[in-house]
Amino acid sequence: MRRFTGALAAFMIVAAASSAAAQAGRFFDPATKSWVEYGPGLHSSDKSPIKRETVRYDGPHKPGTIIVDTTERRLYHVQEGGKAMKYGVGVGLEGMQWAGTHRITRKAEWPGWTPPPQMRARERAKGRILPVHMEGGPNNPLGARALYIGSTLYRIHGTNQPWTIGTAVSSGCIRMANEDVKHLYDNVGVGATVVVKR
């Protein structure tokens, strides 16, 4: 009993610390293994808590390819000259992550959201009722832009919750801050290859 009580107390301390950090505008980034500050006003803006940056790329994929590393929680858009634009992303919850190679089949600005029946049923079981359809706009969970991945139900899309970038939070979609998804959207065409790795 003492061991259980000690473990429970330790869990409660960690949970309280994480909650306090979130309220203070910080989140734990598993890629850098450090706490990240949202910064002034970031909590309610279109900005990502993880700044995009140009990095060196010497992998096998050609320029124009999008690579999503779900473990690192980063998206790389391969560019000419051995470089890539690196973005922070939110990925699927444990058990909802996936891997594969597809193409971008469609692009949309301020997309509408139609949650699939299985998502609506899953959320209903938790006591949360999702709409059958929600028009695009600032309150829409898909955010400012969406890039549709093959014939899957998954998308690379924006969010109305930028503080979730860098976490495992979605039902399998790749989530970006609106500022970053707009940047990617403007630099990616329909037909671009998307490689999702676990």
Side-chain angles (χ1 to χ4, degrees):
M1 182 68 173
R2 259 188 218 153
R3 211 177 271 169
F4 173 76
T5 305
L8 180 60
F11 172 77
M12 291 176 70
I13 289 167
V14 170
S18 296
S19 177
Q23 290 172 7
R26 296 187 304 149
F27 78 100
F28 187 78
D29 180 0
T32 62
K33 296 187 174 32
S34 63
W35 287 94
V36 177
E37 303 276 339
Y38 292 127
L42 185 57
H43 184 77
S44 60
S45 77
D46 283 346
K47 295 182 190 244
S48 174
I50 301 167
K51 187 173 176 163
R52 69 176 177 256
E53 61 179 320
T54 302
V55 297
R56 198 167 150 265
Y57 177 77
D58 58 5
H61 301 289
K62 66 181 185 176
T65 304
I66 296 169
I67 304 161
V68 179
D69 187 326
T70 58
T71 301
E72 187 187 3
R73 299 173 190 171
R74 297 295 186 268
L75 180 150
Y76 296 84
H77 182 216
V78 181
Q79 300 176 340
E80 299 284 351
K83 295 181 180 175
M85 184 61 68
K86 178 181 176 183
Y87 305 86
V89 295
V91 299
L93 291 161
E94 189 61 41
M96 294 189 178
Q97 294 177 7
W98 58 281
T101 300
H102 297 278
R103 293 198 178 272
I104 298 296
T105 50
R106 185 163 82 89
K107 295 169 59 175
E109 297 187 14
W110 294 106
W113 180 45
T114 304
Q118 58 269 39
M119 179 189 286
R120 293 179 62 224
R122 191 170 58 243
E123 293 301 313
R124 189 178 311 113
K126 298 177 196 171
R128 182 172 174 226
I129 305 302
L130 296 182
V132 174
H133 179 78
M134 179 186 280
E135 291 300 321
N139 294 323
N140 189 302
L142 297 186
R145 303 288 185 272
L147 303 166
Y148 295 75
I149 301 174
S151 60
T152 73
L153 295 174
Y154 303 120
R155 298 160 181 75
I156 298 168
H157 64 78
T159 183
N160 58 358
Q161 300 176 324
W163 57 91
T164 62
I165 301 306
T167 66
V169 67
S170 77
S171 292
C173 284
I174 309 305
R175 181 182 293 192
M176 303 178 76
N178 284 335
E179 169 182 83
D180 285 344
V181 80
K182 287 177 184 177
H183 187 267
L184 180 66
Y185 183 99
D186 289 344
N187 289 287
V188 169
V190 170
T193 300
V194 180
V195 179
V196 178
K197 303 188 310 182
R198 292 190 65 188

